[in-house]
Amino acid sequence: MHLRKTFLVFLVLCLSGSLLSACGRKGDLEVPGGVPITKQEREAAAKNNKQDVEDRPFVLDPLL
C-alpha cells in the first residue's frame, strides 16, 4: 500500500512539473538589449513576421 501512494505522489509531481515547464510565450526569440540591430535586419525580420500576435500579459510574467 505504501508503494502505491509513493507512485501516485511521484506521478502527480511529474505531471505538474511537465505542465509548469510548458509555460512561456510562443514566438520568435528576442534580441538582447545590448545588441544593436541594423535597418536591414529589422526590415528582414518584419518581412518574415507574417502574423501579428497581440502581446497579452501572462500570469508568470512578473516572475520572469
Side-chain angles (χ1 to χ4, degrees):
M1 192 66 173
H2 184 347
L3 183 61
R4 178 183 251 174
K5 286 183 181 181
T6 304
F7 178 73
L8 184 61
V9 169
F10 178 74
L11 182 66
V12 168
L13 287 175
C14 286
L15 288 175
S16 62
S18 65
L19 287 173
L20 290 175
S21 67
C23 293
R25 291 183 181 227
K26 183 178 179 180
D28 296 334
L29 297 176
E30 297 177 5
V31 178
V35 179
I37 302 173
T38 65
K39 183 178 179 182
Q40 292 172 343
E41 290 174 343
R42 190 177 304 126
E43 289 172 355
K47 191 177 199 181
N48 290 336
N49 189 9
K50 296 178 184 175
Q51 295 181 16
D52 287 333
V53 179
E54 181 182 338
D55 189 24
R56 297 177 294 170
F58 187 67
V59 175
L60 298 177
D61 280 347
L63 296 176
L64 301 174

